[in-house]
Coordinates of all heavy atoms in Angstrom, one line a residue:
K1 N -4.9 -3.0 -2.7 CA -3.6 -3.7 -2.8 C -3.0 -3.5 -4.2 O -1.8 -3.2 -4.3 CB -3.8 -5.2 -2.5 CG -2.5 -6.0 -2.7 CD -2.8 -7.5 -2.5 CE -1.6 -8.3 -2.8 NZ -1.8 -9.8 -2.7
T2 N -3.8 -3.6 -5.2 CA -3.3 -3.4 -6.6 C -2.8 -2.0 -6.7 O -1.7 -1.8 -7.3 CB -4.5 -3.7 -7.6 OG1 -5.0 -5.0 -7.4 CG2 -4.0 -3.5 -9.0
K3 N -3.5 -1.0 -6.2 CA -3.1 0.3 -6.3 C -1.8 0.6 -5.6 O -0.8 1.2 -6.1 CB -4.2 1.3 -5.8 CG -3.8 2.8 -5.9 CD -5.0 3.6 -5.4 CE -4.6 5.1 -5.5 NZ -5.7 6.0 -5.0
V4 N -1.6 0.0 -4.4 CA -0.4 0.2 -3.6 C 0.8 -0.4 -4.2 O 1.9 0.1 -4.3 CB -0.7 -0.3 -2.1 CG1 0.7 -0.4 -1.4 CG2 -1.6 0.6 -1.4
K5 N 0.6 -1.6 -4.7 CA 1.7 -2.4 -5.3 C 2.2 -1.6 -6.6 O 3.4 -1.6 -6.9 CB 1.3 -3.8 -5.6 CG 1.1 -4.7 -4.4 CD 1.0 -6.1 -4.8 CE 2.3 -6.7 -5.2 NZ 2.2 -8.2 -5.4
S6 N 1.2 -1.0 -7.3 CA 1.6 -0.3 -8.5 C 2.3 1.0 -8.2 O 3.3 1.4 -8.8 CB 0.4 0.0 -9.3 OG 0.7 0.8 -10.4
A7 N 1.8 1.7 -7.1 CA 2.4 3.1 -6.8 C 3.6 3.0 -5.9 O 4.4 3.9 -5.8 CB 1.3 3.9 -6.2
C8 N 3.6 1.9 -5.1 CA 4.7 1.9 -4.0 C 5.5 0.6 -4.1 O 6.0 0.1 -3.1 CB 4.0 1.9 -2.6 SG 2.9 3.3 -2.4
G9 N 5.7 0.1 -5.3 CA 6.4 -1.1 -5.5 C 7.9 -1.0 -5.1 O 8.5 -2.1 -4.8
D10 N 8.4 0.2 -5.0 CA 9.8 0.3 -4.6 C 10.0 0.4 -3.1 O 11.1 0.4 -2.6 CB 10.4 1.5 -5.2 CG 9.7 2.8 -4.9 OD1 8.4 2.7 -4.6 OD2 10.3 3.9 -4.9
L11 N 8.9 0.4 -2.4 CA 9.0 0.5 -0.9 C 9.1 -0.9 -0.3 O 8.8 -1.9 -0.9 CB 7.7 1.2 -0.3 CG 7.5 2.6 -0.8 CD1 6.2 3.2 -0.1 CD2 8.7 3.5 -0.4
S12 N 9.5 -0.9 1.0 CA 9.6 -2.2 1.7 C 8.2 -2.8 1.9 O 7.2 -2.1 1.8 CB 10.3 -2.0 3.0 OG 9.5 -1.2 3.9
F13 N 8.1 -4.1 2.3 CA 6.8 -4.7 2.6 C 6.1 -4.0 3.7 O 4.9 -3.7 3.6 CB 7.1 -6.2 2.9 CG 5.8 -6.9 3.2 CD1 5.0 -7.4 2.2 CD2 5.4 -7.1 4.5 CE1 3.8 -8.1 2.5 CE2 4.3 -7.8 4.8 CZ 3.5 -8.3 3.8
A14 N 6.8 -3.6 4.7 CA 6.2 -2.9 5.9 C 5.6 -1.6 5.5 O 4.5 -1.2 5.9 CB 7.2 -2.8 7.0
E15 N 6.4 -0.9 4.6 CA 5.9 0.4 4.2 C 4.7 0.3 3.2 O 3.8 1.1 3.3 CB 7.0 1.2 3.4 CG 8.2 1.6 4.3 CD 9.4 2.1 3.6 OE1 9.7 1.6 2.5 OE2 10.0 3.1 4.1
Q16 N 4.7 -0.7 2.4 CA 3.5 -1.0 1.6 C 2.3 -1.3 2.4 O 1.2 -0.9 2.1 CB 3.8 -2.1 0.6 CG 4.8 -1.8 -0.5 CD 5.0 -2.9 -1.5 OE1 4.1 -3.5 -1.9 NE2 6.3 -3.2 -1.8
C17 N 2.5 -2.1 3.5 CA 1.4 -2.4 4.4 C 0.8 -1.1 5.0 O -0.4 -1.0 5.2 CB 1.8 -3.4 5.5 SG 2.1 -5.1 4.9
T18 N 1.7 -0.2 5.4 CA 1.2 1.0 6.0 C 0.4 1.8 5.0 O -0.7 2.4 5.4 CB 2.4 1.9 6.5 OG1 3.1 1.2 7.5 CG2 2.0 3.2 7.0
S19 N 0.8 1.9 3.8 CA 0.1 2.6 2.7 C -1.3 1.9 2.5 O -2.3 2.5 2.3 CB 0.9 2.6 1.4 OG 2.0 3.4 1.6
L20 N -1.2 0.5 2.5 CA -2.5 -0.2 2.3 C -3.5 -0.1 3.4 O -4.7 -0.1 3.2 CB -2.1 -1.7 2.1 CG -3.3 -2.6 1.7 CD1 -4.0 -2.1 0.5 CD2 -2.8 -4.1 1.5
E21 N -3.0 0.1 4.6 CA -3.9 0.3 5.8 C -4.7 1.5 5.6 O -5.9 1.6 6.0 CB -3.0 0.5 7.1 CG -2.4 -0.8 7.5 CD -1.3 -0.6 8.5 OE1 -0.9 0.6 8.8 OE2 -0.8 -1.6 9.1
K22 N -4.2 2.6 4.9 CA -5.0 3.8 4.6 C -5.8 3.6 3.3 O -7.0 4.0 3.3 CB -4.1 5.0 4.5 CG -3.3 5.2 5.8 CD -2.3 6.4 5.7 CE -1.5 6.6 7.0 NZ -0.6 7.7 6.8
E23 N -5.2 3.1 2.3 CA -5.9 2.9 1.0 C -7.1 2.0 1.1 O -8.1 2.2 0.4 CB -4.9 2.4 -0.1 CG -5.4 2.6 -1.5 CD -5.8 4.0 -1.8 OE1 -5.0 4.9 -1.5 OE2 -6.9 4.3 -2.4
A24 N -7.0 1.0 2.0 CA -8.1 0.1 2.1 C -9.3 0.8 2.7 O -10.5 0.5 2.5 CB -7.7 -1.1 3.0
V25 N -9.1 1.8 3.6 CA -10.1 2.6 4.1 C -10.9 3.3 3.0 O -12.1 3.4 3.0 CB -9.6 3.7 5.1 CG1 -10.7 4.7 5.5 CG2 -9.1 3.0 6.4
N26 N -10.2 3.8 2.0 CA -10.8 4.5 0.9 C -11.7 3.5 0.1 O -12.7 3.9 -0.4 CB -9.8 5.2 0.0 CG -9.1 6.3 0.7 OD1 -9.7 7.0 1.6 ND2 -7.9 6.6 0.3
V27 N -11.2 2.3 -0.1 CA -12.0 1.3 -0.8 C -13.3 1.0 -0.1 O -14.4 0.9 -0.6 CB -11.2 0.0 -1.0 CG1 -12.1 -1.1 -1.5 CG2 -10.1 0.3 -2.0

């Protein structure tokens, strides 16, 4: 979540969630 909010802060909440769905897999 920290990584996504830092890298994708300009995206919508839904778009951030989509990015987080993948980044959480990496964690």
Side-chain angles (χ1 to χ4, degrees):
K1 175 185 176 181
T2 301
K3 181 177 180 179
V4 167
K5 292 191 72 174
S6 175
C8 308
D10 57 332
L11 299 180
S12 68
F13 179 82
E15 291 172 323
Q16 290 183 47
C17 285
T18 298
S19 296
L20 184 55
E21 287 163 356
K22 299 177 181 179
E23 194 58 43
V25 169
N26 291 334
V27 169

